[in-house]
Amino acid sequence: MSRSVRLVPTAALLAVALTLTFALTACDDDADTEGPSGAPGLSDPYFPKAGNSGYDVSHYGLTLAYTPDGNRLTGTAAITARATEDLAAFDLDLVGMEVEKVTVEGGTAEYERDGEELTVRPPDALAQGETFQVQVRYSGSPRTITDPDGSKEGWLRTADGALALGEPTGSMAWFPGNHHPADKASYDVTVTVPKDLTAVSNGELRSERTTADGRRTFAWHTAEPMASYVATLAIGRYTVTRSTVPGSSPEEDGLPVYVAVDPTQTAASRKVLARLPEVMKWARDSFGPYPFSSTGAIVDRPEDADYALETQNRPVFPGAPAIELLVHETAHQWFGDSVTPKSWQDMWLNEGFATYAEWLWTEDDGGATAEETFTKLYDHGEDEYETLWAFPPAKPTSAADISDEAGVYQRGAMVIHRIRQAVDDDDLFYDIVQGWAAAHRHGNADTAAFTAYVEKAAPDTDFDEIWSDWLYGEGKPARP
Ligand code: TRP
Ligand code: ZN
């Protein structure tokens, strides 16, 4: 649900300084003079260097090996992409790690590194529309990244292995790619680990085998488009439980469930994880067909991460989750993982819906109604959330605020509830929620697309004041 928000001013300043340094070095890059190249960022309003322009990735094939002893990762990333313009060079994002070799379409490519940018110059320039494969061989000790808000992501070392978490930019710590939510792709993640460990990633486990030297290889496949920030890899000792739950339509059963729990957490999480089928059913009834072909959870130790994350198919929890947190991360599978923000400015669409899912769960469970939760928050929210009225959900003040519990999560949920109040018809409200999830299933969407969708779905309702005051407006909106 909420992640603890700790402001670390030095980390924020450092991030600004680093961004400036990269911006300057990118300008005097003389590689630019040798033909057209993609830009080293997608101009995201909060993370301008994240992602790269000039191509669109369709598939990541990651073949990795990890040894916790010494934190050593070796890997090959085989990236299939389509050039969206003529390219003599293009960038991938990667932080840390050592790059050993890069090929494009099998030919050795020149490359250079500058901060998080790995610039690749293929032996033959790529033509707009061409599909190509770039392979990057790399190795090293993957890094933990400190976010603008002070939290840790990227590659986190744990007591018995590692945990890769990628929101918003951490996935560039463990594989090179186009690390912006706007470029989603399918994945094959094949990981070899010491024989007593398990490697858990997204999607379905295709195979599990022992290598000639006695290690274990786990091959995971994600067919549905996935943003790299919800890609995960958990390596360690896990108690694995496999089962099935009914699929997306009532007739269809057999959606595979893969749950991996750190042995120290099994007792504490047994009860809540037993409710996963119930939560899945409730979420399908509320939000429409489940967008993916498997589900599950990864429960690590509380000290392994500062927050839970909606990693696709299989959310990560640091310790046994409360039922509301399981609901929150499950709701993200629709809102965030399937319908993915176009930029980090649209974070409220993820967190507003996932937080509102908690309000709805509580309401359906016979607890406080969403109306009661909303009213309490409007009247007394400042007591719990100091920054509740500090900025509007669609315009976080800075990159450190995109995960703000008050301004993004709670205010985001308030916007969804204001829509429900305005349409004043729960059938229509749920049609809007499910229609939105269906309209952008497996895609990307921004706030403007959302407001346009709502207006079209409820043509008799005037939403102007909700958008101007609750979504974009400064200060505390007038009582509805
Ligand atoms: N999305 C996570 C959740 O709500 C929390 C989180 C982790 C987050 N890292 C973030 C939110 C970065 C925004 C940005 O469960
Ligand atoms: Zn969330």
Side-chain angles (χ1 to χ4, degrees), residues 136-436:
V136 180
R137 206 171 74 205
Y138 60 105
S139 64
S141 288
R143 287 190 200 166
T144 300
I145 294 173
T146 301
D147 288 337
D149 74 358
S151 63
K152 306 275 191 214
E153 54 152 341
W155 193 264
L156 309 173
R157 297 185 71 179
T158 61
D160 54 358
L163 175 62
L165 295 179
E167 190 175 24
T169 62
S171 41
M172 60 179 82
W174 60 285
F175 64 96
N178 201 21
H179 291 295
H180 187 273
D183 192 357
K184 306 209 289 186
S186 58
Y187 283 68
D188 278 287
V189 180
T190 302
V191 190
T192 300
V193 293
K195 66 172 185 306
D196 48 339
L197 302 185
T198 300
V200 186
S201 187
N202 312 88
E204 292 85 61
L205 183 61
R206 280 276 172 88
S207 71
E208 183 182 338
R209 58 198 147 78
T210 303
T211 62
D213 63 354
R215 292 183 299 162
R216 298 288 289 166
T217 301
F218 298 81
W220 291 90
H221 176 71
T222 299
E224 294 94 8
M226 178 163 77
S228 69
Y229 79 91
V230 286
T232 192
L233 179 55
I235 295 167
R237 283 190 190 83
Y238 293 104
T239 304
V240 171
T241 311
R242 304 180 74 160
S243 56
T244 58
V245 294
S248 276
S249 59
E251 316 77 58
E252 178 197 336
D253 55 24
L255 184 72
V257 185
Y258 186 105
V259 175
V261 183
D262 184 290
T264 63
Q265 305 301 310
T266 44
S269 42
R270 187 167 294 129
K271 244 174 125 175
V272 64
L273 293 176
R275 299 185 73 180
L276 183 61
E278 178 196 344
V279 171
M280 286 288 294
K281 181 181 184 321
W282 173 85
R284 289 191 340 249
D285 290 347
S286 304
F287 310 135
Y290 179 64
F292 302 121
S293 44
S294 64
T295 181
I298 298 168
V299 181
D300 247 321
R301 303 184 195 192
E303 64 270 26
D304 289 339
D306 304 336
Y307 49 83
L309 190 64
E310 63 269 27
T311 44
Q312 192 156 306
N313 309 94
R314 200 159 286 113
V316 166
F317 301 98
I323 186 74
E324 292 80 8
L325 184 57
L326 182 62
V327 166
H328 180 107
E329 305 306 340
T330 301
H332 269 311
Q333 302 301 310
W334 282 257
F335 307 106
D337 295 16
S338 171
V339 182
T340 303
K342 231 179 214 157
S343 88
W344 289 111
Q345 181 165 3
D346 306 308
M347 206 60 237
W348 79 274
L349 280 171
N350 284 14
E351 302 305 344
F353 268 113
T355 303
Y356 198 66
E358 296 177 58
W359 298 10
L360 288 176
W361 169 271
T362 303
E363 172 174 300
D364 291 345
D365 202 39
T369 62
E371 176 67 20
E372 286 164 351
T373 305
F374 173 90
T375 302
K376 196 170 152 220
L377 196 52
Y378 184 84
D379 289 339
H380 306 288
E382 303 88 340
D383 302 348
E384 195 178 343
Y385 306 106
E386 251 180 71
T387 57
L388 191 60
W389 310 110
F391 62 84
K395 276 194 292 176
T397 315
S398 72
D401 297 318
I402 65 160
S403 52
D404 189 61
E405 167 71 23
V408 176
Y409 287 61
Q410 301 299 328
R411 288 284 302 274
M414 290 180 107
V415 172
I416 308 294
H417 190 70
R418 286 292 295 115
I419 294 168
R420 186 176 175 191
Q421 289 176 330
V423 299
D424 195 25
D425 169 354
D426 269 3
D427 285 342
L428 178 53
F429 172 70
Y430 277 97
D431 282 351
I432 292 173
V433 170
Q434 297 190 6
W436 170 249

Side-chain angles (χ1 to χ4, degrees), residues 115-126:
E116 69 190 58
E117 302 302 325
L118 166 61
T119 304
V120 176
R121 180 167 290 277
D124 299 309
L126 301 162

